[in-house]
Amino acid sequence: MATINFYLDKTDKKGFAPIHLRINCNSEQVKLSTGEKIKPKDFDIDTHLVKENAERVTEINHYLGYLKDRADELLNNSYKKSYTNKEIKLKLKDFVKAYKEGHKVNIVREQVSLYGKPFTFVDLFAGAGGFSEGFIQAEHNNKFFDFLVANDINENSELTHVVRYNHQLGLDADFLCQDITEPDFLDNLLSKTKDKKVDVVCGGPPCQSFSLAGKRKKFDKKDDLFSHYLEVIKVLQPKYFIMENVKGILTKEKGKIKELILKEINSIVDIKEIPRLTTFIKSLKKSNVENEFLLNCLVKRVEIEQYTDLKAEEFKEAYIKAIDSKFRKLTPNIADYKTSKTDERISTIRHGFNLLVRNKEWEKLKRDIIREKDFCNIDNDYFVDSFTQFLTDIDSNEIINKIEEAFSRLNVAKDFEKSCYDIIQALKIYVLNIDDCLTLIRDNCNTKQSKELDTIINDIRLYRIEAPFVANSSNYGVPQNRERVLFIGCRKDQKFISEIPATVTEEEKVTVFEALHDLDFIGNNEEAHNYQLVNISKQFNGTAKKMRSLLKTRSIEGKPIKTKGKTFAEWSKKGRLNGRFTKAKKPFYVKSTEALINNLRVHDILHNHKTSNQGENVIKRLDIILKEGDYKKAQTKLDECGLSSNKRNYNVLKPDNQSPTIMTIPDDYIHYNSPRALTVREMARLQSFDDSFVFQGKRSTGGNNRKTELPQYTLVGNAVPPLMARAIATEILKNIK
């Protein structure tokens, strides 16, 4: 066994002594400079560590412990049983070099036009940063993207972002760790952009709970985040925006959700064109005298779109108060004095107006209740229905429904039925999007007026979008069949983009083996901190030739090329960042924000490559499934061996094909060559993240912690594949003005 410790060398002129690492093994000795210096009085010769009261004690001792662990792993726990002194020094010097480079002073630079033309982007619901990574990789004709701000609600997303983009790449991109539904979110986002115009917004708001207006909802924290995403678009008015979502959004509620999303996008208006539309609506009153009140309501509803925040709330309040005033004048005609003061129906209408006027306060209350409900895990229990009912009842649509019901139960004389009808319709106009308002306006047009309205609609819609489309990440050089829906909004002054062209053909797609073969040197419950040579001939014996034939030299985007190309694995090691990042620092890992503040960094050569500690029975189960090639086919044999599982599915990776969609739980996948789950790094490779992109914080978590924590596996599984994001960003750069 080797012994590993530290000692001090001779002091320099300033009285500082270099700290050296010393290894003794079989009468041989290896010495290596750590690159750190301290005063001899601060070194404890018994513990071989820095004394507690010394400057930078926590940071230096963390580094010395890290180096000792790597040396111990190399000498006492390595697959290789013999090393020369030179080999040991070279391997340990790699770790020392990474540490030194990582601790150089890093001056954050603004992303000025180092070459070419920069366009700005903001990444919402950023997670690990798959969109961000693809956008900063992209360039076309000397055009590239300047990263302004990313946003997510999770601290580990922020930590991963800060380490990658601020510390490692030296960018001044900011991070807003805040819920998009909070009232001051937009103000905070605008302050982070530092008054810079935003050209592109990207992000994938979760739409799992998104439902049609008036329907009962699940009411969780993911409710209607899409509408808040569009509120950001309305304010920033970028040249393009990309909204990514799961494929199921297209068929949810028989396609009605997709249509509603398109309606909401079409309802984002060019506010400069609003006076033109309102003038047109007013002109309709001449030929629609009986609908004058409703046309006036449509004018007021459209005018609200000119404003945001407090100003919009003022106009909304004025809108409801105007309808309330009409009802007050109507009341003596439909009910006597006593009835008007005591009748439940009249009270429902009056109090309904009060509730609508206070809509902003009710929305805040709804958000707080949903947050507390989520925190207390209220779901699938006796409490959930009462919570759901209350949250449904305070929704504006439901309030209007109750007002309409109250009107229907009043015995109104025929002479006043139209006035009651107008009040109800005016309230419905209040909650309509602009696209549906335009439909109502058309109902009041003749043929000639309809043609004029068509011209106005074409001009007033700020974004053009025909339909969402399904993009498969494997079409963009990603070794994974991950289908996602993309909504791409193109501002009316920009070139229209309807799809993202594939960068590889079906025959050229990257395989799982291409992505993972060079990482296949790790066993159960092991962690690797450096790359090791993989002998394909030894691993695959009779099929080695076939496996090697899967390896292709490619361009960065995945296109097979014969000259100046690299394999997918080589690109992953080298990195796919463009020429602006030649001064990028070595990657590092920290376990928390506190560790980053205290400089407790881990500078390995290879990060996030650790396997789970799986029990003997689990390994046997995975081995049977792997040999059978399919979980269902393996069921009989698993039953015979007493190894059956309640787990719904295992995905056996096929080396000569693409992986299925990578999710957040590693145990769902079985490595193509070993009975084990995947490491974070292997899942990141299947997502097309560079190896230099380090996922920070906890590796995994479970149970209720999944509500508040976002461990490495979840960061990877939820991400947009960077190569697909790169293809999207490149297509935008080709078209953006």
Side-chain angles (χ1 to χ4, degrees), residues 478-586:
V478 181
Q480 177 191 173
N481 281 315
R482 186 187 191 94
E483 289 187 315
R484 285 296 185 268
V485 170
L486 297 177
F487 292 81
I488 300 182
C490 313
R491 205 171 69 189
K492 64 181 185 178
D493 61 335
Q494 300 295 313
K495 287 185 179 180
F496 183 65
I497 298 174
S498 60
E499 62 179 355
I500 307 300
T503 59
V504 297
T505 65
E506 190 67 33
E507 296 73 28
E508 295 169 342
K509 290 184 176 183
V510 181
T511 64
V512 168
F513 185 74
E514 289 184 81
L516 304 185
H517 74 279
D518 64 316
L519 297 175
D520 189 16
F521 53 77
I522 193 167
N524 184 54
N525 194 29
E526 291 182 357
E527 183 173 10
H529 305 284
N530 207 336
Y531 297 99
Q532 295 176 18
L533 188 64
V534 173
N535 190 327
I536 295 176
S537 297
K538 189 174 179 181
Q539 276 191 343
F540 293 95
N541 201 2
T543 59
K545 186 176 180 181
K546 178 188 173 185
M547 302 310 289
R548 281 200 197 89
S549 72
L550 295 173
L551 302 179
K552 297 182 173 85
T553 53
R554 301 175 177 273
S555 66
I556 287 182
E557 294 84 3
K559 194 79 176 171
I561 51 176
K562 291 184 179 179
T563 57
K564 296 184 179 179
K566 290 179 173 57
T567 65
F568 183 92
E570 287 169 343
W571 277 120
S572 298
K573 289 177 184 175
K574 181 182 184 294
R576 300 173 177 90
L577 296 170
N578 61 40
R580 293 181 294 143
F581 302 99
T582 53
K583 294 183 179 179
K585 295 166 76 173
K586 294 290 184 183

Side-chain angles (χ1 to χ4, degrees), residues 243-463:
M243 193 169 74
E244 175 258 2
N245 219 285
V246 294
K247 190 178 175 182
I249 198 75
L250 295 180
T251 53
K252 188 170 184 181
E253 296 194 23
K254 297 180 179 179
K256 291 180 181 178
I257 296 300
K258 178 197 74 173
E259 293 305 318
L260 184 55
I261 290 172
L262 291 173
K263 274 181 178 290
E264 293 293 342
I265 292 171
N266 284 327
S267 294
I268 301 174
V269 298
D270 182 350
I271 59 173
K272 297 192 298 293
E273 297 289 339
I274 285 178
R276 184 177 162 199
L277 177 59
T278 55
T279 300
F280 174 80
I281 300 170
K282 290 172 185 176
S283 73
L284 297 177
K285 290 191 285 186
K286 294 176 184 177
S287 54
N288 293 276
V289 178
E290 73 280 3
N291 287 331
E292 184 176 350
F293 174 73
L294 291 180
L295 288 169
N296 283 333
C297 288
L298 282 166
V299 169
K300 291 174 184 174
R301 171 64 190 87
V302 170
E303 285 177 337
I304 290 172
E305 293 300 308
Q306 298 175 97
Y307 308 107
T308 57
D309 301 334
L310 290 175
K311 193 77 171 173
E313 292 302 320
E314 286 175 17
F315 271 76
K316 287 178 182 178
E317 186 175 327
Y319 183 101
I320 297 298
K321 284 183 175 178
I323 302 171
D324 186 16
S325 177
K326 183 177 177 67
F327 176 69
R328 287 177 189 274
K329 291 175 183 175
L330 176 66
T331 304
N333 297 312
I334 61 174
D336 58 53
Y337 181 79
K338 184 179 178 183
T339 302
S340 70
K341 295 298 181 185
T342 59
D343 188 82
E344 186 180 34
R345 296 162 298 180
I346 300 293
S347 295
T348 297
I349 296 167
R350 282 181 176 153
H351 300 164
F353 290 137
N354 293 340
L355 290 169
L356 291 172
V357 165
R358 300 278 294 173
N359 179 64
K360 187 177 181 181
E361 286 72 18
W362 285 110
E363 285 296 319
K364 182 181 182 301
L365 180 62
K366 184 193 293 185
R367 188 174 58 251
D368 291 342
I369 291 171
I370 289 170
R371 186 180 287 114
E372 287 301 315
K373 172 180 169 289
D374 193 69
F375 184 81
C376 297
N377 299 316
I378 304 299
D379 194 18
N380 192 31
D381 53 36
Y382 293 164
F383 302 107
V384 70
D385 285 347
S386 53
F387 272 91
T388 301
Q389 187 62 57
F390 176 68
L391 291 166
T392 301
D393 285 345
I394 62 174
D395 182 77
S396 294
N397 287 284
E398 191 62 26
I399 292 167
I400 293 168
N401 286 343
K402 283 189 168 59
I403 292 173
E404 183 175 14
E405 183 185 348
F407 267 113
S408 70
R409 294 187 178 185
L410 286 169
N411 296 315
V412 179
K414 202 159 191 175
D415 290 348
F416 303 103
E417 284 181 354
K418 179 69 167 62
S419 294
C420 294
Y421 171 82
D422 283 352
I423 289 172
I424 295 164
Q425 291 306 113
L427 291 174
K428 290 182 177 180
I429 288 170
Y430 173 72
V431 291
L432 287 182
N433 58 42
I434 290 298
D435 203 56
D436 286 331
C437 285
L438 292 170
T439 301
L440 272 183
I441 295 165
R442 189 181 298 282
D443 290 342
N444 289 275
C445 294
N446 58 35
T447 305
K448 184 181 177 182
Q449 290 166 334
S450 285
K451 287 182 179 178
E452 186 181 349
L453 180 61
D454 286 338
T455 304
I456 295 172
I457 288 172
N458 187 59
D459 293 339
I460 200 169
R461 282 180 175 158
L462 189 59
Y463 290 96

Side-chain angles (χ1 to χ4, degrees), residues 133 160-169 577 690 692-693:
E133 194 70 8
T160 298
H161 168 98
V162 168
V163 170
R164 174 65 169 173
Y165 299 112
N166 300 141
H167 288 267
Q168 191 185 342
L169 301 185
L577 296 170
D690 290 345
S692 62
F693 192 107

Side-chain angles (χ1 to χ4, degrees), residues 495-716:
K495 287 185 179 180
F496 183 65
I497 298 174
S498 60
E499 62 179 355
I500 307 300
T503 59
V504 297
T505 65
E506 190 67 33
E507 296 73 28
E508 295 169 342
K509 290 184 176 183
V510 181
T511 64
V512 168
F513 185 74
E514 289 184 81
L516 304 185
H517 74 279
D518 64 316
L519 297 175
D520 189 16
F521 53 77
I522 193 167
N524 184 54
N525 194 29
E526 291 182 357
E527 183 173 10
H529 305 284
N530 207 336
Y531 297 99
Q532 295 176 18
L533 188 64
V534 173
N535 190 327
I536 295 176
S537 297
K538 189 174 179 181
Q539 276 191 343
F540 293 95
N541 201 2
T543 59
K545 186 176 180 181
K546 178 188 173 185
M547 302 310 289
R548 281 200 197 89
S549 72
L550 295 173
L551 302 179
K552 297 182 173 85
T553 53
R554 301 175 177 273
S555 66
I556 287 182
E557 294 84 3
K559 194 79 176 171
I561 51 176
K562 291 184 179 179
T563 57
K564 296 184 179 179
K566 290 179 173 57
T567 65
F568 183 92
E570 287 169 343
W571 277 120
S572 298
K573 289 177 184 175
K574 181 182 184 294
R576 300 173 177 90
L577 296 170
N578 61 40
R580 293 181 294 143
F581 302 99
T582 53
K583 294 183 179 179
K585 295 166 76 173
K586 294 290 184 183
F588 64 88
Y589 165 79
V590 288
K591 67 179 182 180
S592 64
T593 302
E594 184 182 4
L596 179 64
I597 293 168
N598 291 321
N599 231 349
L600 305 181
R601 307 176 180 184
V602 175
H603 288 277
D604 284 330
I605 312 306
L606 173 63
H607 291 271
N608 303 130
H609 199 37
K610 180 180 181 180
T611 53
S612 303
N613 183 12
Q614 295 176 310
E616 187 179 341
N617 283 344
V618 174
I619 295 171
K620 287 178 181 177
R621 181 186 302 126
L622 298 185
D623 192 42
I624 290 170
I625 299 168
L626 178 60
K627 284 172 181 173
E628 292 292 325
D630 183 85
Y631 186 37
K632 288 182 180 177
K633 290 179 182 177
Q635 291 295 342
T636 303
K637 197 162 186 179
L638 290 172
D639 289 339
E640 290 172 358
C641 300
L643 294 170
S644 58
S645 169
N646 291 326
K647 193 170 176 62
R648 187 171 59 181
N649 194 28
Y650 285 100
N651 293 289
V652 180
L653 297 185
K654 309 297 180 187
D656 57 351
N657 212 322
Q658 291 73 51
S659 80
T661 300
I662 291 299
M663 306 296 276
T664 59
I665 302 174
D667 295 348
D668 286 351
Y669 310 93
I670 302 175
H671 191 276
Y672 61 87
N673 194 41
S674 307
R676 63 172 178 83
L678 301 179
T679 67
V680 170
R681 180 51 51 201
E682 286 169 326
M683 289 177 72
R685 282 273 188 98
L686 294 177
Q687 283 275 60
S688 75
F689 279 98
D690 290 345
D691 288 4
S692 62
F693 192 107
V694 181
F695 296 88
Q696 308 296 334
K698 283 185 177 181
R699 180 170 157 272
S700 62
T701 192
N704 289 331
N705 289 338
R706 286 180 180 152
K707 286 183 175 290
T708 55
E709 296 174 350
L710 209 66
Q712 295 167 15
Y713 277 115
T714 305
L715 284 173
V716 177

Side-chain angles (χ1 to χ4, degrees), residues 36-305:
E36 283 289 352
K37 292 181 178 181
I38 60 167
K39 292 188 175 180
K41 68 179 180 64
D42 292 330
F43 190 73
D44 190 321
I45 58 173
D46 295 321
T47 62
H48 304 281
L49 292 172
V50 179
K51 291 179 180 177
E52 283 300 319
N53 57 350
E55 189 178 345
R56 295 176 59 226
V57 55
T58 304
E59 180 188 341
I60 296 174
N61 282 346
H62 169 78
Y63 169 53
L64 297 182
Y66 155 75
L67 265 188
K68 189 173 182 180
D69 286 344
R70 296 299 172 266
D72 180 67
E73 182 181 88
L74 188 67
L75 295 163
N76 298 329
N77 297 299
S78 175
Y79 74 104
K80 190 173 178 181
K81 297 303 178 188
S82 63
Y83 288 98
T84 64
N85 284 8
K86 187 177 180 181
E87 282 179 316
I88 292 171
K89 274 193 172 183
L90 283 174
K91 286 187 176 292
L92 291 177
K93 274 182 178 178
D94 283 340
F95 295 114
V96 173
K97 182 183 177 185
Y99 175 81
K100 286 180 180 176
E101 289 189 13
H103 282 70
K104 289 177 184 174
V105 174
N106 187 25
I107 300 174
V108 173
R109 59 180 180 276
E110 287 194 20
Q111 298 167 76
V112 293
S113 181
L114 301 178
Y115 61 96
K117 170 70 177 171
F119 292 92
T120 59
F121 80 95
V122 166
D123 188 359
L124 302 177
F125 304 95
F131 258 132
S132 306
E133 194 70 8
F135 267 70
I136 65 167
Q137 287 180 18
E139 59 181 335
H140 178 75
N141 286 347
N142 288 328
K143 295 187 289 186
F144 62 97
F145 279 107
D146 172 3
F147 190 5
L148 295 183
V149 187
N151 151 256
D152 208 287
I153 60 171
N154 192 272
E155 290 181 5
N156 203 27
S157 291
E158 181 176 19
L159 178 61
T160 298
H161 168 98
V162 168
V163 170
R164 174 65 169 173
Y165 299 112
N166 300 141
H167 288 267
Q168 191 185 342
L169 301 185
L171 301 180
D172 62 338
D174 215 329
F175 195 96
L176 176 58
C177 192
Q178 186 181 12
D179 190 329
I180 196 172
T181 66
E182 290 180 9
D184 61 347
F185 176 85
L186 267 168
D187 290 337
N188 292 335
L189 180 65
L190 289 169
S191 71
K192 296 277 186 185
T193 62
K194 302 177 179 110
D195 297 322
K196 289 184 180 179
K197 189 68 180 170
V198 178
D199 292 311
V200 179
V201 174
C202 56
C207 293
Q208 289 94 321
S209 302
F210 187 62
S211 189
L212 294 172
K215 281 208 164 195
R216 291 278 286 269
K217 299 181 182 181
K218 184 180 174 185
F219 289 112
D220 65 18
K221 285 173 73 177
K222 295 177 181 177
D223 260 328
D224 217 5
L225 293 176
F226 143 80
S227 63
H228 290 278
Y229 177 89
L230 287 190
E231 281 300 314
V232 175
I233 302 301
K234 286 179 185 178
V235 173
L236 297 182
Q237 298 194 355
K239 294 174 179 176
Y240 293 94
F241 69 86
I242 307 98
M243 193 169 74
E244 175 258 2
N245 219 285
V246 294
K247 190 178 175 182
I249 198 75
L250 295 180
T251 53
K252 188 170 184 181
E253 296 194 23
K254 297 180 179 179
K256 291 180 181 178
I257 296 300
K258 178 197 74 173
E259 293 305 318
L260 184 55
I261 290 172
L262 291 173
K263 274 181 178 290
E264 293 293 342
I265 292 171
N266 284 327
S267 294
I268 301 174
V269 298
D270 182 350
I271 59 173
K272 297 192 298 293
E273 297 289 339
I274 285 178
R276 184 177 162 199
L277 177 59
T278 55
T279 300
F280 174 80
I281 300 170
K282 290 172 185 176
S283 73
L284 297 177
K285 290 191 285 186
K286 294 176 184 177
S287 54
N288 293 276
V289 178
E290 73 280 3
N291 287 331
E292 184 176 350
F293 174 73
L294 291 180
L295 288 169
N296 283 333
C297 288
L298 282 166
V299 169
K300 291 174 184 174
R301 171 64 190 87
V302 170
E303 285 177 337
I304 290 172
E305 293 300 308

